Amino acid sequence: MGGKWKGLILFWLGEGPLRFGELRRTVAGISERMLILQLREMQTSGLVHREVHHQVPPKVEYSLTEFGQSLRVALIPLGQWGEEHMERLEALPRTGASS
């Protein structure tokens, strides 16, 4: 569940199933390639379900599995904590690799 994007994807899919384009517009700043990679990893982990509706044009929807929903529920308090302490967190110095 590491990385910048998975938590956001988990949050938005918790609101209900979304098509790829809807999810890309909703998760601001994510590239198409990164969204594809993150969704594949989350599918492999059993967090996300991908459903293909055989119609023209093709329709693919992503939703949380029961496992994914349970993780989302577990992360809600962490999100609330982050919102409560956002000002302090944003004031922290950024750390990065230095040579």
Side-chain angles (χ1 to χ4, degrees):
M1 245 325 276
K4 174 180 181 177
W5 302 111
K6 288 187 178 101
L8 290 170
I9 294 167
L10 197 72
F11 173 79
W12 288 112
L13 287 179
E15 300 292 312
L18 291 170
R19 294 178 71 171
F20 181 84
E22 293 171 323
L23 192 54
R24 180 150 183 244
R25 285 188 297 276
T26 304
V27 181
I30 194 167
S31 69
E32 184 172 330
R33 180 179 180 277
M34 182 56 69
L35 181 56
I36 290 168
L37 290 172
Q38 298 297 299
L39 286 169
R40 283 184 186 157
E41 287 178 19
M42 292 174 80
Q43 276 182 263
T44 301
S45 307
L47 297 169
V48 169
H49 172 72
R50 180 180 187 263
E51 185 168 348
V52 179
H53 300 273
H54 298 288
Q55 62 186 48
V56 177
K59 178 181 174 183
V60 178
E61 280 187 327
Y62 294 90
S63 60
L64 292 183
T65 62
E66 189 175 315
F67 183 54
Q69 189 63 38
S70 70
L71 177 58
R72 181 178 183 267
V73 169
L75 291 176
I76 287 172
L78 180 61
Q80 291 169 337
W81 179 89
E83 286 178 13
E84 290 171 17
H85 300 284
M86 184 63 69
E87 192 174 302
R88 184 173 179 178
L89 293 169
E90 287 176 342
L92 292 173
R94 303 272 183 212
T95 58
S98 56
S99 340

